[in-house]
Amino acid sequence: MLFTKKETKELTIAILILGLIFSFNEWGIEKFDFMIGIKNLLRAIILSAIILLPQVYIEKIIGERWGVTVFYSLWKIKSPKYMLTIYKNKIYIGIIAPLIVSIISKGSLALPIVGGFSTEEDQLKRTGRRFTRLTEFEEAKIAFAGVIISLIFVILFKILLLTHLPFFEKGMYIAATMAIVNILPIPPLNGSKIFFGNRIFYVLSLTFIVASVIFLYLFPIILSIILAAVLTIILTIIYFYYKEYSQ
């Protein structure tokens, strides 16, 4: 099975939440319009699914290569003792936080921190490897692969902008936002796994993703990737020299 029943449920919720926050202020131009709002909500939900599902799928594929099973889940924390009467088990921060941010900002700020992946090791699959347990750097590679998928969608939607359809413009915005936010070193985001896996790799990943997204909004695709790669190499070398090599 590609996704477990629990994953399917939580991915569905995650996609719905992403759809809500990415269409929060699109329920009419001058006044509230239910039909326009539903149309924009469905568009955001479809685009969120198009971007998130391949990301999780690729993370699973890469995880299999490293001998682990990757699971997607919503961001949740255990309920403090004084809140057990309200929340019996866990608080779903991945549902609450994005919605609160959208409400406070009136939809001008979308915070797609809804969930992330965890891994379960299979000792038999890791037989013969140097380390019997998944290393932090291996987990970082899985996380980076997931973020790259969002960047690939930014590129694909930029190409499709030639059709001048608002659908693809919105898709590029959602993919770009998810890529930049997901690279941040905040649990449960992929960026946190890259950051703790290898600092140099994180600097490289952060610079390349952020620079690529910015340049893709300014320049043609090939030039954007070249500029991002050059900037990434320069900043990574500078970081390595002053923060790692000099110590």
Side-chain angles (χ1 to χ4, degrees):
M1 181 181 291
L2 183 59
F3 300 114
T4 65
K5 289 184 178 180
K6 182 180 179 181
E7 279 184 301
T8 301
K9 176 183 176 182
E10 300 206 359
L11 277 167
T12 300
I13 295 173
I15 290 168
L16 290 175
I17 295 299
L18 290 172
L20 281 170
I21 65 175
F22 280 118
S23 64
F24 194 84
N25 59 351
E26 297 177 348
W27 290 75
I29 300 175
E30 295 182 356
K31 60 180 181 178
F32 178 81
D33 190 311
F34 180 77
M35 294 307 297
I36 291 178
I38 289 296
K39 177 183 177 181
N40 291 329
L41 173 61
L42 289 175
R43 179 182 66 177
I45 289 174
I46 292 171
L47 286 167
S48 298
I50 289 174
I51 298 165
L52 181 61
L53 293 178
Q55 173 192 317
V56 178
Y57 176 72
I58 291 299
E59 290 169 351
K60 284 177 169 289
I61 294 298
I62 302 299
E64 285 292 327
R65 178 183 176 184
W66 296 114
V68 298
T69 302
V70 172
F71 296 100
Y72 180 88
S73 61
L74 291 168
W75 181 21
K76 46 187 171 289
I77 59 174
K78 290 184 179 180
S79 300
K81 291 183 179 180
Y82 63 87
M83 295 183 67
L84 286 176
T85 55
I86 303 175
Y87 302 98
K88 293 184 178 180
N89 296 314
K90 297 177 181 179
I91 301 175
Y92 283 80
I93 302 297
I95 296 176
I96 299 171
L99 291 177
I100 290 178
V101 170
S102 292
I103 293 171
I104 294 176
S105 67
K106 296 181 180 180
S108 60
L109 178 62
L111 188 68
I113 305 180
V114 291
F117 75 85
S118 59
T119 58
E120 183 178 291
E121 297 173 3
D122 187 332
Q123 297 298 323
L124 290 177
K125 291 181 180 180
R126 291 190 63 83
T127 301
R129 294 181 180 273
R130 182 179 178 184
F131 299 102
T132 56
R133 299 186 66 85
L134 183 73
T135 67
E136 291 181 333
F137 188 48
E138 288 173 334
E139 187 176 44
K141 292 177 182 178
I142 298 172
F144 180 68
V147 183
I148 282 294
I149 294 301
S150 295
L151 179 60
I152 289 174
F153 274 108
V154 176
I155 295 172
L156 289 176
F157 286 129
K158 182 178 177 67
I159 294 173
L160 293 171
L161 282 179
L162 295 173
T163 62
H164 301 290
L165 294 176
F167 182 85
F168 299 120
E169 181 179 357
K170 185 68 174 183
M172 184 175 176
Y173 167 72
I174 292 176
T177 303
M178 290 178 66
I180 290 179
V181 171
N182 203 17
I183 199 65
L184 298 176
I186 304 172
L189 299 175
N190 288 27
S192 65
K193 295 176 174 62
I194 303 173
F195 179 81
F196 291 110
N198 186 285
R199 286 185 295 179
I200 295 177
F201 186 42
Y202 178 74
V203 172
L204 184 150
S205 303
L206 175 67
T207 306
F208 183 71
I209 294 297
V210 174
S212 294
V213 169
I214 293 174
F215 289 147
L216 283 167
Y217 271 96
L218 300 174
F219 307 113
I221 294 173
I222 296 178
L223 178 60
S224 298
I225 299 302
I226 292 174
L227 290 174
V230 171
L231 181 61
T232 297
I233 292 171
I234 293 172
L235 292 183
T236 303
I237 291 174
I238 292 174
Y239 173 82
F240 176 78
Y241 181 79
Y242 285 101
K243 293 295 184 179
E244 301 290 338
Y245 181 75
S246 60
Q247 290 182 357

